[in-house]
Amino acid sequence: MAGATTDGASWVRLYHPSPAPKARVVCFPHAGGSASFFHPVSSALRPDIEVLAIQYPGRQDRRGETPMTDIGELADRVFEALRPQLLREPRPAFF
């Protein structure tokens, strides 16, 4: 898809990094939503729980990118962007 990257920095927002989280949760925005929706959640759960919020193409700072219309391709891109996080402990939960 033109304009959509798999760069983890563009896809994954980590608002409050923790040096030793007890848990890690990946949050997917609601339809029409964006990663910033989870900023207050991240703030409330820190430092024990690390929140990784997904930022879709076409939203907020990625508004110049073409939104994705194929859910399978979107899932593949998110997976690629999250791959480094999936290999770290603690393994993430998904919300």
Side-chain angles (χ1 to χ4, degrees), residues 24-28 52 54 78-79 82-83 85-86 91-95:
R24 185 173 284 119
V25 62
V26 175
C27 296
F28 297 90
L52 306 168
I54 302 301
V78 169
F79 174 76
L82 283 173
R83 186 185 299 265
Q85 301 296 333
L86 299 175
R91 304 282 185 182
F94 297 95
F95 175 75

Short mmCIF file of all heavy atoms in Angstrom, two decimals, residues 24-28 52 54 78-79 82-83 85-86 91-95:
data_model
loop_
_atom_site.label_atom_id
_atom_site.label_comp_id
_atom_site.label_asym_id
_atom_site.label_seq_id
_atom_site.Cartn_x
_atom_site.Cartn_y
_atom_site.Cartn_z
N ARG A 24 2.66 -5.88 29.66
CA ARG A 24 2.67 -5.04 28.46
C ARG A 24 1.36 -5.31 27.74
O ARG A 24 0.97 -6.45 27.54
CB ARG A 24 3.87 -5.41 27.60
CG ARG A 24 4.09 -4.55 26.40
CD ARG A 24 5.41 -4.89 25.70
NE ARG A 24 6.53 -4.36 26.47
CZ ARG A 24 7.51 -5.10 27.01
NH1 ARG A 24 7.53 -6.39 26.87
NH2 ARG A 24 8.46 -4.52 27.68
N VAL A 25 0.67 -4.22 27.34
CA VAL A 25 -0.59 -4.38 26.63
C VAL A 25 -0.57 -3.56 25.34
O VAL A 25 -0.13 -2.42 25.33
CB VAL A 25 -1.81 -4.00 27.53
CG1 VAL A 25 -1.77 -2.56 27.95
CG2 VAL A 25 -3.12 -4.32 26.86
N VAL A 26 -0.99 -4.20 24.26
CA VAL A 26 -1.11 -3.54 22.95
C VAL A 26 -2.56 -3.12 22.80
O VAL A 26 -3.47 -3.95 22.91
CB VAL A 26 -0.70 -4.49 21.81
CG1 VAL A 26 -0.94 -3.83 20.46
CG2 VAL A 26 0.75 -4.92 21.96
N CYS A 27 -2.77 -1.83 22.55
CA CYS A 27 -4.13 -1.29 22.43
C CYS A 27 -4.42 -0.86 21.00
O CYS A 27 -3.64 -0.12 20.40
CB CYS A 27 -4.28 -0.09 23.36
SG CYS A 27 -4.11 -0.50 25.10
N PHE A 28 -5.53 -1.33 20.47
CA PHE A 28 -5.97 -1.01 19.12
C PHE A 28 -7.11 0.00 19.21
O PHE A 28 -8.11 -0.26 19.87
CB PHE A 28 -6.46 -2.27 18.40
CG PHE A 28 -5.39 -3.29 18.21
CD1 PHE A 28 -5.16 -4.27 19.16
CD2 PHE A 28 -4.60 -3.27 17.07
CE1 PHE A 28 -4.16 -5.21 18.99
CE2 PHE A 28 -3.59 -4.22 16.88
CZ PHE A 28 -3.38 -5.18 17.84
N LEU A 52 1.29 -0.09 24.66
CA LEU A 52 1.72 0.13 23.29
C LEU A 52 0.45 0.41 22.47
O LEU A 52 -0.39 -0.47 22.32
CB LEU A 52 2.43 -1.10 22.73
CG LEU A 52 3.61 -1.62 23.56
CD1 LEU A 52 4.04 -2.98 23.08
CD2 LEU A 52 4.74 -0.64 23.50
N ILE A 54 -1.47 1.44 19.00
CA ILE A 54 -1.29 1.36 17.55
C ILE A 54 -1.84 2.63 16.90
O ILE A 54 -2.94 3.08 17.22
CB ILE A 54 -2.00 0.12 16.97
CG1 ILE A 54 -1.47 -1.17 17.64
CG2 ILE A 54 -1.85 0.06 15.46
CD1 ILE A 54 0.02 -1.38 17.48
N VAL A 78 0.62 -4.35 11.12
CA VAL A 78 0.69 -4.20 12.58
C VAL A 78 1.59 -5.27 13.17
O VAL A 78 2.44 -4.99 14.02
CB VAL A 78 -0.72 -4.24 13.22
CG1 VAL A 78 -0.63 -4.35 14.73
CG2 VAL A 78 -1.53 -3.01 12.82
N PHE A 79 1.44 -6.50 12.71
CA PHE A 79 2.29 -7.59 13.19
C PHE A 79 3.77 -7.29 12.96
O PHE A 79 4.59 -7.46 13.86
CB PHE A 79 1.91 -8.91 12.53
CG PHE A 79 2.85 -10.03 12.88
CD1 PHE A 79 2.79 -10.64 14.12
CD2 PHE A 79 3.81 -10.46 11.98
CE1 PHE A 79 3.66 -11.66 14.46
CE2 PHE A 79 4.69 -11.48 12.30
CZ PHE A 79 4.62 -12.07 13.55
N LEU A 82 4.97 -4.69 15.33
CA LEU A 82 5.03 -5.17 16.71
C LEU A 82 6.05 -6.28 16.93
O LEU A 82 6.36 -6.61 18.07
CB LEU A 82 3.65 -5.69 17.15
CG LEU A 82 2.61 -4.67 17.49
CD1 LEU A 82 1.27 -5.36 17.73
CD2 LEU A 82 3.02 -3.85 18.71
N ARG A 83 6.55 -6.86 15.87
CA ARG A 83 7.43 -8.03 15.98
C ARG A 83 8.50 -7.88 17.08
O ARG A 83 8.64 -8.78 17.90
CB ARG A 83 8.07 -8.37 14.64
CG ARG A 83 8.87 -9.66 14.68
CD ARG A 83 9.60 -9.93 13.37
NE ARG A 83 8.70 -10.07 12.25
CZ ARG A 83 8.26 -11.24 11.79
NH1 ARG A 83 8.61 -12.36 12.38
NH2 ARG A 83 7.47 -11.27 10.74
N GLN A 85 8.47 -6.18 19.78
CA GLN A 85 7.82 -6.21 21.09
C GLN A 85 7.32 -7.61 21.45
O GLN A 85 7.24 -7.96 22.62
CB GLN A 85 6.65 -5.22 21.13
CG GLN A 85 7.05 -3.79 20.86
CD GLN A 85 7.97 -3.24 21.93
OE1 GLN A 85 7.96 -3.66 23.08
NE2 GLN A 85 8.78 -2.27 21.57
N LEU A 86 6.95 -8.37 20.45
CA LEU A 86 6.40 -9.71 20.69
C LEU A 86 7.46 -10.66 21.21
O LEU A 86 7.14 -11.67 21.83
CB LEU A 86 5.77 -10.26 19.40
CG LEU A 86 4.62 -9.44 18.83
CD1 LEU A 86 4.16 -10.04 17.51
CD2 LEU A 86 3.48 -9.36 19.82
N ARG A 91 5.48 -10.88 27.59
CA ARG A 91 4.74 -10.94 26.33
C ARG A 91 3.49 -10.08 26.43
O ARG A 91 2.85 -10.04 27.47
CB ARG A 91 4.33 -12.38 25.99
CG ARG A 91 5.46 -13.35 25.95
CD ARG A 91 6.22 -13.23 24.69
NE ARG A 91 7.23 -14.30 24.70
CZ ARG A 91 8.11 -14.49 23.80
NH1 ARG A 91 8.14 -13.70 22.75
NH2 ARG A 91 8.98 -15.45 23.88
N PRO A 92 3.14 -9.38 25.35
CA PRO A 92 1.99 -8.48 25.45
C PRO A 92 0.63 -9.18 25.41
O PRO A 92 0.49 -10.24 24.83
CB PRO A 92 2.16 -7.58 24.22
CG PRO A 92 2.93 -8.40 23.25
CD PRO A 92 3.82 -9.29 24.08
N ALA A 93 -0.30 -8.52 26.04
CA ALA A 93 -1.72 -8.86 25.91
C ALA A 93 -2.29 -7.88 24.90
O ALA A 93 -1.71 -6.83 24.66
CB ALA A 93 -2.42 -8.73 27.25
N PHE A 94 -3.43 -8.19 24.31
CA PHE A 94 -4.02 -7.34 23.28
C PHE A 94 -5.38 -6.84 23.73
O PHE A 94 -6.19 -7.59 24.25
CB PHE A 94 -4.16 -8.09 21.96
CG PHE A 94 -2.82 -8.51 21.41
CD1 PHE A 94 -2.33 -9.79 21.67
CD2 PHE A 94 -2.06 -7.65 20.64
CE1 PHE A 94 -1.09 -10.17 21.17
CE2 PHE A 94 -0.84 -8.02 20.16
CZ PHE A 94 -0.34 -9.29 20.41
N PHE A 95 -5.61 -5.53 23.51
CA PHE A 95 -6.88 -4.91 23.87
C PHE A 95 -7.36 -4.10 22.70
O PHE A 95 -6.68 -3.29 22.16
CB PHE A 95 -6.71 -4.01 25.10
CG PHE A 95 -7.94 -3.24 25.46
CD1 PHE A 95 -8.99 -3.89 26.08
CD2 PHE A 95 -8.05 -1.89 25.17
CE1 PHE A 95 -10.14 -3.18 26.42
CE2 PHE A 95 -9.19 -1.19 25.50
CZ PHE A 95 -10.24 -1.83 26.13
#
